Amino acid sequence: MNLALLFDEDFIAPDRVVLKGRRLNHIQSVLGIATGDQLPVGRVNGLMGLGEVVRLSDSEVELVVVLDQKPPTPLPLTLILAMPRPKMFRRILQTSATLGIKDIWLINSYKVEKSFWQTPLLSDENLREDLTLGLEQAKDTGMPSVHIRKLFKPFVEDELPALLKDKQALVAHPGTANVCPTHLNRAAALCIGPEGGFTPYEVGKLEEAGCQSVHLGPRILRVETAVPVLVTRLFDVCL
Ligand code: SAH
C-alpha cells in the first residue's frame, strides 16, 4: 500500500477520515506509523495528497488530509480478457489496476471453464477490494470499471464493434502473422485469451469485429505476464 485509498464512507468531515480493518493494520504493522506521521492518501476517483495521523488506537486511525495532487494519467486502453481461472484472476486484476487500465471486460471463451464464473471474486465488493489493492500499489485513485459478459457471441457481435470505435483493436494470439506494434500511444483495445488460447473460430469473430491478430514472439506467456508485456509495448508508461 503506497497510498491509502479513501472512500466516501471514510470521511467524517471534508478533511478528515477514519480508517479501520486492512488499512489500519497496514498503517500499524507494515508502515509502523505513529501519531503525527504523514502518509500518502488519495480519494477514490479524486485527488491525492497527504494524511496526517491525529489519532491512533487498536481499532481505528484518524487522519487529517490535504488532497491537492492529480493522479497519474490513465492508460487509454480497453482490456478484453477471457475470464481467467480464479487462482490467477486476483493477481491479473490487481496488476491491470496498477498499470493504469480503467476499462476491463471479462468475457467468455470456449476454453474458459464454466466454474470460473462461479467465483465469489466477481462480487462487486471483492472486485472493488482487488482493484483498490492495485490502485494503492500504483498510487492512483481512478477506480477501473469491470464489465462481465458470460456469452461470447452476443458480446462480440452486438457490443464489441461499438466498443472498438476510434481505437486500434488487437487480439493477442500466438503464432499469428503480424508482430504486435510498439509505442502505439493512442486509444486501443486489446483482447487476451484464456490459458488454452482463443479458438480459431473466436479469433475469426474478433477479427470480424475489427481486431487485428498480433503475436509477441515464439514464447507463450501466462496471461498475468502477457498483460504487462503488452501494456509496456503499446504505451510509453515511464514518461
Ligand atoms: N495455448 C495457447 C496459449 C494461451 S496463452 C495458444 O497457443 O494459443 C494465453 C493468452 O495470452 C493467449 O490467448 C494470448 O492472448 C496471450 N499470449 C501469450 N503468449 C503470447 C504470444 N507469444 N503472442 C501473442 N499472445 C500471447
Side-chain angles (χ1 to χ4, degrees):
M1 186 172 87
N2 295 309
L3 162 145
L5 195 62
L6 310 174
F7 293 85
D8 289 350
E9 58 268 29
D10 299 323
F11 282 80
I12 53 165
D15 67 341
R16 234 166 237 269
V17 293
V18 171
L19 307 181
K20 302 172 188 173
R22 177 185 62 80
R23 287 166 299 169
L24 169 69
N25 290 340
H26 192 91
I27 286 169
Q28 280 181 316
S29 50
V30 182
L31 303 179
I33 271 173
T35 308
D37 288 348
Q38 292 188 319
L39 69 145
V41 293
R43 186 164 193 159
V44 69
N45 294 324
L47 295 174
M48 318 194 300
L50 286 175
E52 182 179 332
V53 176
V54 291
R55 188 170 58 82
L56 183 61
S57 75
D58 284 347
S59 57
E60 54 185 45
V61 56
E62 187 172 328
L63 308 170
V64 170
V65 300
V66 177
L67 301 171
D68 54 4
Q69 293 157 38
K70 281 195 187 146
T73 313
L75 278 187
L77 175 64
T78 294
L79 181 64
I80 300 161
L81 202 61
M83 180 61 193
R85 79 173 53 247
K87 211 178 115 198
M88 322 293 275
F89 176 64
R90 291 193 65 192
R91 236 191 341 244
I92 295 168
L93 196 65
Q94 289 178 24
T95 301
S96 301
T98 299
L99 290 168
I101 300 169
K102 301 299 177 194
D103 194 27
I104 302 170
W105 295 71
L106 299 170
I107 67 165
N108 198 32
S109 149
Y110 186 71
K111 290 180 186 162
V112 167
E113 286 175 33
K114 283 209 169 59
S115 63
F116 294 179
W117 293 110
Q118 304 307 320
T119 174
L121 296 174
L122 284 173
S123 72
D124 286 349
E125 197 185 325
N126 286 330
L127 287 173
R128 187 176 94 157
E129 184 71 7
D130 279 321
L131 295 168
T132 298
L133 291 172
L135 293 175
E136 289 184 336
Q137 171 64 38
K139 290 183 132 186
D140 188 4
T141 63
M143 185 60 73
S145 31
V146 175
H147 314 264
I148 296 171
R149 294 294 182 269
K150 297 185 186 172
L151 295 174
F152 179 83
K153 201 163 166 244
F155 168 73
V156 176
E157 289 182 353
D158 306 338
E159 284 190 281
L160 189 58
L163 200 60
L164 301 186
K165 200 170 174 291
D166 300 326
K167 296 187 182 84
Q168 168 110 23
L170 305 171
V171 47
H173 191 55
T176 209
N178 299 308
V179 64
C180 180
T182 55
H183 306 288
L184 195 64
N185 295 319
R186 52 165 289 225
L190 176 64
C191 308
I192 300 189
E195 252 173 82
F198 283 126
T199 63
Y201 166 80
E202 289 170 338
V203 174
K205 293 297 281 181
L206 291 167
E207 285 176 345
E208 247 172 58
C211 299
Q212 186 199 357
S213 297
V214 294
H215 75 82
L216 293 167
R219 292 172 198 274
I220 306 296
L221 309 175
R222 282 185 199 275
V223 176
E224 68 187 53
T225 311
V227 172
V229 164
L230 281 155
V231 163
T232 48
R233 199 174 161 88
L234 296 175
F235 301 98
D236 296 326
V237 290
C238 300
L239 298 180

